[in-house]
Amino acid sequence: MIIASNFKTNHTRNSTYAYLATLQEFITKKDSKQDIYIFPPSTALDGFTLSSQIHVGVQNAYPVEKGSFTGEIGLEQINEFGLNTILIGHSERRHILGESQALCAKKFDYFKEQDFEIVYCIGEPLEVREKGIDEVMAYNLKQLEGIDLSYDKLIVAYEPVWAIGTGVSASVQQIEETLGKLHQKVKAPLLYGGSVNVSSVKEILEIEHCEGVLVGTASWDVDSFCQMIEIADSI
Ligand code: PGA
């Protein structure tokens, strides 16, 4: 299974090193079989020496090698560290930073060309969820517009906006129904994200078509993230 941590704007360079050292020790000691993805802030990126099941990626990048895009990083900065995994379309970038579907698709195309592993996020806001599953699916499928769903290094994370950082996860039934419908269109691995924690991760990982979780808040503490990995190992 895929167990992913999005640090967002948390952790420093020092604490990222400490986090990864603890994580690596845990994975080795427990001989964990999970695929782990870590997305530190860009100030903490480096050429880490980790076992191959731990993938470090960038939370965002501009679809360019280099150039005049103040505040952004491009391929040149990512290549310096030999990284080739990226998160695209996270709801905080879409809704707080105003990233359009066209820009998400442009980023996808660019990093697909570069052969990156892409964790591509979709998810509906509350007012759409309240209208029922048909509206939810229409909204989520729009966020897949322009995305090559046959790309073999694509992972799709379903993360309802109303469940992110709120402490209120979508219910097992809602996740099951949404992932089931998504699976009819998307053959890439599907993750769920939105207030996943140590208590809920087992029932979520057991949902049909759920191949992993993308965790924010509950993953920032390395012990709690390791507990989630251990739970995944026990399934
Ligand atoms: P959360 O964040 O676990 O804090 O809800 C999930 C995400 O944004 O990926």
Side-chain angles (χ1 to χ4, degrees), residues 82-139:
L83 304 176
N84 50 17
T85 302
I86 186 168
L87 198 60
I88 295 178
H90 190 276
S91 85
E92 284 149 16
R93 296 213 56 89
R94 291 181 191 265
H95 296 281
I96 301 176
L97 296 153
E99 218 163 271
S100 66
Q101 181 56 26
L103 181 56
C104 293
K106 196 171 163 191
K107 289 183 178 186
F108 176 88
D109 279 346
Y110 183 83
F111 287 99
K112 177 192 151 195
E113 262 324 287
Q114 305 301 327
D115 209 30
F116 270 48
E117 273 198 286
I118 300 176
V119 179
Y120 184 82
C121 305
I122 58 174
E124 79 288 350
L126 188 58
E127 64 270 22
V128 173
R129 174 51 74 176
E130 283 169 345
K131 289 184 189 149
I133 189 68
D134 291 347
E135 298 278 342
V136 166
M137 290 312 297
Y139 189 96

Side-chain angles (χ1 to χ4, degrees), residues 37-177:
Y37 287 76
I38 306 288
F39 296 94
S42 51
T43 56
L45 298 177
D46 211 339
F48 301 102
T49 308
L50 299 163
S51 55
S52 61
Q53 80 202 89
I54 306 178
H55 311 239
V56 175
V58 294
Q59 294 176 18
N60 173 52
Y62 207 70
V64 72
E65 186 189 353
K66 58 183 176 176
S68 300
F69 304 96
T70 302
E72 297 287 305
I73 59 168
L75 186 65
E76 187 178 64
Q77 288 76 38
I78 303 171
N79 277 349
E80 183 179 14
F81 305 120
L83 304 176
N84 50 17
T85 302
I86 186 168
L87 198 60
I88 295 178
H90 190 276
S91 85
E92 284 149 16
R93 296 213 56 89
R94 291 181 191 265
H95 296 281
I96 301 176
L97 296 153
E99 218 163 271
S100 66
Q101 181 56 26
L103 181 56
C104 293
K106 196 171 163 191
K107 289 183 178 186
F108 176 88
D109 279 346
Y110 183 83
F111 287 99
K112 177 192 151 195
E113 262 324 287
Q114 305 301 327
D115 209 30
F116 270 48
E117 273 198 286
I118 300 176
V119 179
Y120 184 82
C121 305
I122 58 174
E124 79 288 350
L126 188 58
E127 64 270 22
V128 173
R129 174 51 74 176
E130 283 169 345
K131 289 184 189 149
I133 189 68
D134 291 347
E135 298 278 342
V136 166
M137 290 312 297
Y139 189 96
N140 280 294
L141 293 178
K142 266 203 161 313
Q143 295 192 326
L144 291 170
E145 255 170 32
I147 305 304
D148 174 6
L149 297 176
S150 67
Y151 181 48
D152 64 351
K153 292 185 178 169
L154 170 67
I155 296 168
V156 173
Y158 167 60
E159 300 204 298
V161 179
W162 49 275
I164 295 179
T166 58
V168 184
S169 167
S171 68
V172 167
Q173 193 208 347
Q174 286 170 322
I175 301 169
E176 193 162 46
E177 184 177 38

Side-chain angles (χ1 to χ4, degrees), residues 6 8 90 92 159 163-165 194-196 214-217:
N6 175 8
K8 308 189 180 185
H90 190 276
E92 284 149 16
E159 300 204 298
I164 295 179
S195 295
V196 176
L214 175 53
V215 191
T217 316

Side-chain angles (χ1 to χ4, degrees), residues 173-189:
Q173 193 208 347
Q174 286 170 322
I175 301 169
E176 193 162 46
E177 184 177 38
T178 314
L179 293 189
K181 288 186 182 290
L182 273 174
H183 180 72
Q184 293 169 10
K185 309 257 178 209
V186 183
K187 297 308 171 204

